[in-house]
Amino acid sequence: MPIQDPHSFADTRQGRIRHIDFDLTVDFASRTLAGTGIYAFEAPVAGSLFLDTRDIHIERVFADDRDLDWSIDQEDRVKGRRLHIKNPDALSKISITFTTSPDATALGWLAPELTAGGKHPFLLSQCQAIHARSMIPCQDSPSVRFTYTARVKVAAPLTAAMSADRTKVEEQGEFNICYFDMPQAIPSYLFALAVGNLAFQKLGKRCGVFSEPEVLEEAAWEFAETERLIDEAEKLFGPYLWETFNMLILPPSFPYGGMENPRLAFLTPTLIVGDRSMVNVVAHELAHSWTGNLVTNATWEDFWLNEGWTVYAERRLLEVIEGEPYAQLHGAVRRDGMLEDMKVFGMEADATKLKFSQEGIDPDEVFSMVPYEKGCSFLSLIEEKVGRERFNGFIRKYIETFKFQSLTTDDFLSFLREEMPGIDEKVDIKTWVFGAGFPSDAPQPSSHLIDDVYARLNAYKSGTLPKKEDVAGWKAPQVEVFLKNLPQTIPAEDCAYFRDLFGLAESRNRNQLTEYYVVAIRSGYEPVLEEVERLLSTVGRMLYLKPLYRALSETAWSKKHARTLFEKYRGTYHPIAVGALERILTTSGV
Ligand code: BES
Ligand code: ZN
């Protein structure tokens, strides 16, 4: 049975893409990517072939220099436009010549001012969930995997990096030609390209970091422990099958914290805080090398399989590196974040379920921490019921069984029931997977680090402010938990006090800053606006932009600033972030 993917026009009965060979030119002046892809299929394709596209200009479709008939359908709001290739003969290769639109949703074209160096432009892609189709025509479903090779031409001194092995960089007059080879099959959402003034530093046997030269040294320090993470991850999940794990530090407008592009994880520069307190994001993207990139969700309705498993794996890694109390503390911060997301949707909303129909829904519209934390809690509950040792064996077998494959929620549940007979008596699977809200039998994060914070919060609520020495040894996430759990509004003098107490004026930790700004905005502490604007104008990570714009637009005094600031800085954000913020600003009626 072919998988029904509600987000793709692909019909795998017509054939499956197995390999694509690209010849592409990156042009910053026109903000386009243009060239040809040669598509090879698993078995010869006869009759029709449907590919996904969005805003791509198709120039020519041909096979062996012979033009093929094709047409492009009306735009579907979520899926984009179906490219229909009409193909009378059985063909095993088809070539498509195309040019992307300057508005391609996958592509962020950054002016030099938005980079660390300030002299050269930068291009970054973000294909997950369904943006690959705005960059390349493809079967844009995570149930289809292909290998690829690419030749990418960029203006010197810029170079390109991809989710692939960069085999060669050739100078050709004013251009650099970069060659790539991706020998492991990937789904389209892991196709990735970045172009900029890139430098590289090796960090370990299998890992290194790419970034603009201006941030390379700091980045190399922040992520120096990555090789150790890979070693530890292998002990838990099995061998690392992607050969190299490089990281690319992007300019600040990258809309996510990290993106698990294979061989080249994309990371926000906001992880560089000078104390390695954000390496959990690296652990998370690395963990996707097993859960997500090896074992892949079959459709975006099964997204919790990618993220729930990866958060679980991230926490296991944190436990090894930083100790159990710290990993539990992380669980507490992120759970609070998830519960907040659930409240925004409404506790009964579909988006609070792990699995629900997404027909007619853009995955970006329902992106939240629910599949992450509810997914992880579900897995942790199973672990609690069967014991860690047995669960460890289950993890290894799960990865080994499904590596380089995609699976649905039902596939997973069948596997779970086969491997863990009697699990239904211990865990209410139906409620957990298909029910709304957050079940009360979820394992509770617990650690003295969390207790410490709640002791201070309770004292504050009964009138005692924490003193410097009370919070002196606090770990970064403890400050987050504290700020997140303050009352909805607090007095202005306390806003000023906490800013000083936690040294927020000097802090580079935007997790903390965002939590603080949100309380300060809600509390009507107007002096904070200047700092909020500084964050909104320098960072494009949605984890920060969304709560800040939401707080601004939901509070009487700041309502008017929400739209104004957004209009002022929208040009500096990635198209995906612009879309998300438009939704926030419109639904709250600003
Ligand atoms: N794969 C996600 C990012 C993503 C999800 C992009 C859905 C587009 C659509 C990535 O692995 C991720 O989860 N990043 C988190 C990291 C955090 C949970 C540690 C982020 O960006 O904050
Ligand atoms: Zn993830």
Side-chain angles (χ1 to χ4, degrees), residues 258 260 284-285 288 306-307 310 372:
E260 66 271 28
H284 179 98
E285 303 318 332
H288 270 305
N306 271 22
E307 298 299 342
T310 301
Y372 289 76

Side-chain angles (χ1 to χ4, degrees), residues 5 7-10 12 16-20 22 39 50-53 56 79 106-107 125-148 162-164 182 184-193 242 259-262 266 292-293 296-300 306 363 404-406 576:
D5 184 336
H7 296 116
S8 171
F9 289 114
T12 49
R16 278 172 177 274
I17 298 173
R18 199 197 61 214
H19 180 85
I20 315 178
F22 291 103
Y39 296 68
F50 302 153
L51 296 181
D52 295 299
T53 74
I56 291 188
K79 290 192 275 195
L107 300 174
S125 73
Q126 171 55 45
C127 287
Q128 195 181 11
I130 55 169
H131 300 284
R133 65 194 64 180
S134 73
M135 189 177 170
I136 52 169
C138 60
Q139 291 176 310
D140 198 5
S141 166
S143 62
V144 176
R145 306 178 87 90
F146 56 88
T147 55
Y148 71 88
M162 293 188 87
S163 52
M182 184 54 180
Q184 289 96 6
I186 56 157
S188 53
Y189 80 90
L190 296 176
F191 184 74
L193 168 70
W242 307 87
M259 175 66 213
E260 66 271 28
N261 298 315
F266 281 25
N293 299 5
T296 306
N297 52 208
T299 76
W300 299 115
N306 271 22
F404 292 110
Q405 294 175 44
S406 303
I576 293 172

Side-chain angles (χ1 to χ4, degrees), residues 355-373:
K355 162 98 189 190
F356 62 98
S357 166
Q358 290 189 20
E359 192 70 52
I361 298 176
D362 181 335
D364 284 351
E365 289 165 14
V366 287
F367 177 85
S368 78
M369 282 300 128
V370 172
Y372 289 76
E373 291 301 323

Side-chain angles (χ1 to χ4, degrees), residues 410-426:
D410 283 344
D411 295 335
F412 172 73
L413 295 180
S414 306
F415 182 75
L416 174 68
R417 289 179 168 125
E418 252 164 57
E419 293 299 311
M420 307 274 190
I423 192 68
D424 284 282
E425 278 94 76
K426 299 183 183 131

